[in-house]
Amino acid sequence: MAEIIVVTSGKGGVGKTTSSASLACGLARAGKKTAVIDFDVGLRNLDLIMGCERRVVYDFVNVVNGEASLRQALIKDKRFENLFVLAASQTRDKDALTKEGVEKVLKDLGEEGFDFIVCDSPAGIEKGAFLAMYFADRAVVVVNPEVSSVRDSDRILGLLSSKTKKAEDGGRVQEHLLLTRYSPRRVEAGDMLSIKDVQEILGLEVVGVIPESPEVLQSSNAGVPVILDEASPAGQAYTDAVARILGEERPMRFTTVEKKGFFSKMFGA
């Protein structure tokens, strides 16, 4: 049975789609059959970051409405044989998705032998975001280390604990905190919340800390999830996060200011 992971946040622009693409690639690279679904109906960015925008013929709404089969709409990734993308529609509004339709798609993916289904949620608490999280087994809550992002994510945690199917059945969605655009130098200067600050406010364990990095934007523009850039600190941090999701223990990297040695100080290297 497929494990459903929603990648969510209260605030837009924090790196949800970037994170969804990288987590899905990381799971596939680890040998897990993975589907990643774009729930942001009307906008549709996941296919761009995954580099498959020209191959979209049918979308999520087509499948929900019975206008195409799931197999017709799933786009097979060119890098991993076990990774598939289900794009959102750009021409419909968010009301095009229904709880029953989403449930059927997720169930059908489970029957196709998928290990993981990553749901790329729109920001906020509208219908698309609610449907993305409703059937989730786990939630990766993406947060920038600043007050407005943390405050908005607190509301998402309230919904995860009360408005999901697991909550209705007396259970709980397993929640993870993913900190993005983290800068140890700015934390040290007092311009950014620390990991400990965010943990204390939200009460979540951190599954990953993604450092502020120009490679994230460069990779997105190139249609290559940044996790595939193994030389990039951001790519390495996403790889660590995927390992932790799969139960592996890894030390948290890129969270402290790198101190310069004597010769670096002398010669500016």
Side-chain angles (χ1 to χ4, degrees):
M1 191 172 174
E3 185 166 3
I4 301 168
I5 301 176
V6 62
V7 180
T8 183
S9 76
K11 192 171 183 286
V14 297
K16 274 188 311 303
T17 301
T18 295
S19 298
S20 296
S22 283
L23 295 177
C25 280
L27 290 167
R29 189 167 61 186
K32 307 297 182 183
K33 189 176 181 182
T34 304
V36 57
I37 306 176
D38 191 346
F39 274 77
D40 206 352
V41 175
L43 291 177
R44 199 176 96 186
N45 289 314
L46 178 66
D47 54 302
L48 288 169
I49 292 177
M50 293 294 293
C52 62
E53 70 277 8
R54 293 180 183 175
R55 296 166 59 207
V56 177
V57 178
Y58 295 110
D59 58 51
F60 192 11
V61 174
N62 292 139
V63 180
V64 166
N65 290 343
E67 298 158 355
S69 70
L70 182 59
R71 290 189 180 188
Q72 284 178 296
L74 283 173
I75 301 168
K76 189 174 185 177
D77 186 81
K78 290 182 176 179
R79 294 156 294 221
F80 301 102
E81 292 230 339
N82 54 343
L83 177 59
F84 296 81
V85 179
L86 185 55
S89 170
Q90 281 185 304
T91 58
R92 313 288 182 98
D93 61 31
K94 298 187 190 301
D95 290 329
L97 293 180
T98 64
K99 189 189 287 187
E100 296 74 23
V102 170
E103 183 176 27
K104 184 178 187 309
V105 169
L106 296 175
K107 185 180 176 185
D108 288 349
L109 284 168
E111 290 175 355
E112 289 285 337
F114 281 87
D115 299 303
F116 285 95
I117 303 168
V118 178
C119 301
D120 179 26
S121 170
I125 55 173
E126 293 180 4
K127 185 177 181 181
F130 166 73
L131 289 173
M133 73 170 65
Y134 182 74
F135 296 100
D137 299 303
R138 296 202 212 191
V140 174
V141 183
V142 183
V143 182
N144 289 162
E146 39 121 319
V147 173
S148 63
S149 177
V150 174
R151 182 192 62 194
D152 290 347
S153 293
D154 208 17
R155 191 166 184 194
I156 292 296
L157 294 178
L159 295 175
L160 286 167
S161 64
S162 61
K163 294 280 189 179
T164 58
K165 189 172 190 307
K166 276 203 176 295
E168 290 172 2
D169 294 342
R172 187 173 180 85
V173 174
Q174 187 179 352
E175 299 159 348
H176 305 285
L177 174 63
L178 182 69
L179 270 176
T180 53
R181 296 181 185 150
Y182 192 78
S183 169
R185 289 189 184 280
R186 292 178 64 192
V187 171
E188 201 172 72
D191 297 331
M192 183 178 275
L193 295 174
S194 69
I195 299 169
K196 187 179 178 184
D197 291 334
V198 179
Q199 276 185 298
E200 286 179 354
I201 295 167
L202 296 179
L204 293 183
E205 285 299 312
V206 177
V207 75
V209 177
I210 314 302
E212 210 164 32
S213 170
E215 287 87 2
V216 174
L217 182 58
Q218 291 162 10
S219 295
S220 295
N221 288 339
V224 180
V226 72
I227 194 171
L228 301 179
D229 182 356
E230 295 181 10
S232 160
Q236 294 170 39
Y238 274 118
T239 297
D240 289 347
V242 169
R244 294 187 195 101
I245 286 171
L246 293 173
E248 189 179 324
E249 287 190 17
R250 289 200 179 187
M252 206 68 71
R253 297 189 281 172
F254 316 113
T255 60
T256 57
V257 177
E258 192 176 320
K259 303 296 182 184
K260 286 190 175 183
F262 175 76
F263 290 105
S264 296
K265 290 176 183 176
M266 286 289 292
F267 298 108

